[in-house]
Amino acid sequence: MTAQKRFLFFLAALFSFLVSSCGDDDDDDDLIGKWYRVSDFDGLARGDASSFTIGNKGYLVCGYDAKKRLSDLWEYDMDMDFWTQKTAFPGAPRNSAVAFAANGKGYVGTGFDGENYLNDFWEYSPSSDTWTQKADFPGSARYGAVAFGLAGKGYIGCGYDGNYLKDFYAFSPSSNSWEQIVSIGGSKRQGATSFVINDMAYICCGQNNGDHISDFWKYDPSSGLWTQLRDIVNTSDDDYDDNYAIVRMNAVSFIIDGAAYIACGENNGTLRSDTWKYSPATDLWESVSKFKGTARTVAVSFSNGERGFVVSGKSGTYRFDDIWELHPYEYDDDDY
């Protein structure tokens, strides 16, 4: 090969590399965030579990392993990166229950045991590793509901009891009593996700009669009212939402430094691994680095407000036992 031909070959190779690099940058958009796989879950792989976080400990309970419904409880230490099995949940083994934390204790209720929708409700004390049955959830027995702990109380609503639902109830741990509150606005929904930032609760996603829900709501416990925020799909004439692809069901959410992150879930039968960051000050979403584990639905999450984790879930008949942590301020070199 002559020197001239070698030079022309080099230019052609360089041009091909530059075109490929530009295409990759367009696809990945230099998204910030890097996912790290940490210590695998010690229990059986499963989906449709429930979770809550107390301090720097995450708790995973119940679920379905594709053969049977489960009632075991596991504690994940975020600082030491290890799992400890705790006293099993004493209610019926179940999937698709809700869980939340309030005043240093965990609460689990509703769900499906394979035959019946459930409305029993239980409190877990991590200091004594014991469960106590509390007053039954007063709404209809259901599964696929959504829950959050806020200002010392717990809230459960929506879900499916043979019909899609949007009613909401508040639980007071001090009096072991329930109160029906104003229903969430907009659509009934199953498989929604919730998060709490600065003493405000947020609910989005889910599905109703085969449609994926695009409205987005904030709950203020001081007023007891819901406020509708910007839709999570491109419904405006502005360009801020032109690339929104957030709508899904059975997603997970967690909080890091005052921002919410949503990952995983499913939309029209397609499993999702894209991840979105929500900033409450602007009511805007941005895409961040996609979840690095296998795309999945019905996973659970842990968050202490400074760190966020995703664990378990399913893809078809396959169940997962891996756990991943998002570092939101790093770039993933594999994305370039």
Side-chain angles (χ1 to χ4, degrees):
M1 182 183 292
T2 65
Q4 183 180 18
K5 288 183 177 179
R6 285 196 296 269
F7 179 71
L8 291 174
F9 179 80
F10 169 76
L11 287 179
L14 178 61
F15 177 78
S16 177
F17 170 77
L18 290 173
V19 170
S20 174
S21 298
C22 290
D24 288 344
D25 285 343
D26 288 342
D27 290 339
D28 296 315
D29 215 20
D30 290 353
L31 300 179
I32 197 169
K34 185 170 184 178
W35 291 89
Y36 289 87
R37 186 170 179 172
V38 294
S39 181
D40 286 353
F41 172 51
D42 281 16
L44 295 173
R46 69 193 68 192
D48 297 284
S50 303
S51 67
F52 54 90
T53 304
I54 299 175
N56 290 332
K57 306 287 180 64
Y59 295 85
L60 184 152
V61 62
C62 298
Y64 183 61
D65 70 355
K67 296 180 180 179
K68 61 184 180 298
R69 283 160 180 87
L70 305 165
S71 59
D72 49 341
L73 171 68
W74 294 82
E75 177 189 85
Y76 176 69
D77 189 310
M78 299 180 190
D79 296 325
M80 301 299 291
D81 187 27
F82 76 97
W83 294 86
T84 304
Q85 188 167 10
K86 297 293 185 177
T87 299
F89 175 71
R94 67 193 64 196
N95 63 274
S96 306
V98 293
F100 60 85
N103 302 329
K105 294 183 178 179
Y107 296 87
V108 177
T110 68
F112 181 63
D113 68 3
E115 296 182 359
N116 304 299
Y117 304 139
L118 304 169
N119 71 340
D120 56 334
F121 187 65
W122 299 79
E123 177 187 85
Y124 176 73
S125 172
S127 60
S128 60
D129 187 27
T130 57
W131 291 91
T132 304
Q133 187 165 10
K134 311 302 283 187
D136 285 349
F137 172 67
S140 59
R142 66 191 67 191
Y143 73 93
V146 66
F148 51 86
L150 177 62
K153 292 185 177 182
Y155 297 81
I156 298 177
C158 300
Y160 185 79
D161 68 353
N163 293 288
Y164 294 91
L165 303 163
K166 64 197 291 285
D167 53 341
F168 248 90
Y169 301 82
F171 175 73
S172 172
S174 60
S175 61
N176 186 30
S177 63
W178 292 90
E179 174 189 7
Q180 186 168 9
I181 64 170
V182 175
S183 299
I184 188 173
S187 298
K188 300 176 180 179
R189 66 194 73 205
Q190 170 198 355
T193 189
S194 67
F195 51 87
V196 174
I197 303 175
N198 296 331
D199 296 322
M200 298 285 181
Y202 298 79
I203 291 180
C204 62
C205 300
Q207 67 100 12
N208 178 318
N209 294 298
D211 291 330
H212 288 80
I213 306 304
S214 61
D215 54 352
F216 181 32
W217 295 84
K218 177 175 72 174
Y219 178 73
D220 183 346
S222 63
S223 66
L225 299 177
W226 297 89
T227 301
Q228 187 168 7
L229 303 173
R230 289 170 170 155
D231 287 351
I232 58 172
V233 71
N234 181 12
T235 54
S236 79
D237 294 331
D238 298 321
D239 60 4
Y240 69 85
D241 58 359
D242 287 353
N243 296 315
Y244 276 12
I246 305 163
V247 291
R248 64 195 68 192
M249 64 180 294
N250 297 325
V252 293
S253 61
F254 51 86
I255 304 300
I256 302 177
D257 296 338
Y261 295 82
I262 285 182
C264 302
E266 59 189 290
N267 187 318
N268 295 320
T270 300
L271 298 179
R272 307 294 294 267
S273 58
D274 54 319
T275 304
W276 293 82
K277 175 183 178 181
Y278 177 70
S279 300
T282 59
D283 189 22
L284 294 174
W285 297 81
E286 63 179 306
S287 183
V288 299
S289 183
K290 68 180 182 181
F291 177 68
K292 283 296 183 182
T294 303
R296 66 194 61 190
T297 187
V298 293
V300 299
S301 60
F302 306 138
S303 175
N304 65 357
E306 299 175 352
R307 305 174 69 181
F309 301 81
V310 175
V311 58
S312 70
K314 74 171 184 176
S315 172
T317 59
Y318 192 83
R319 267 64 179 180
F320 298 102
D321 57 10
D322 50 344
I323 176 171
W324 296 78
E325 179 180 6
L326 177 65
H327 290 204
Y329 308 117
E330 298 182 25
Y331 281 99
D332 191 345
D333 295 337
D334 294 339
D335 280 346
Y336 306 140

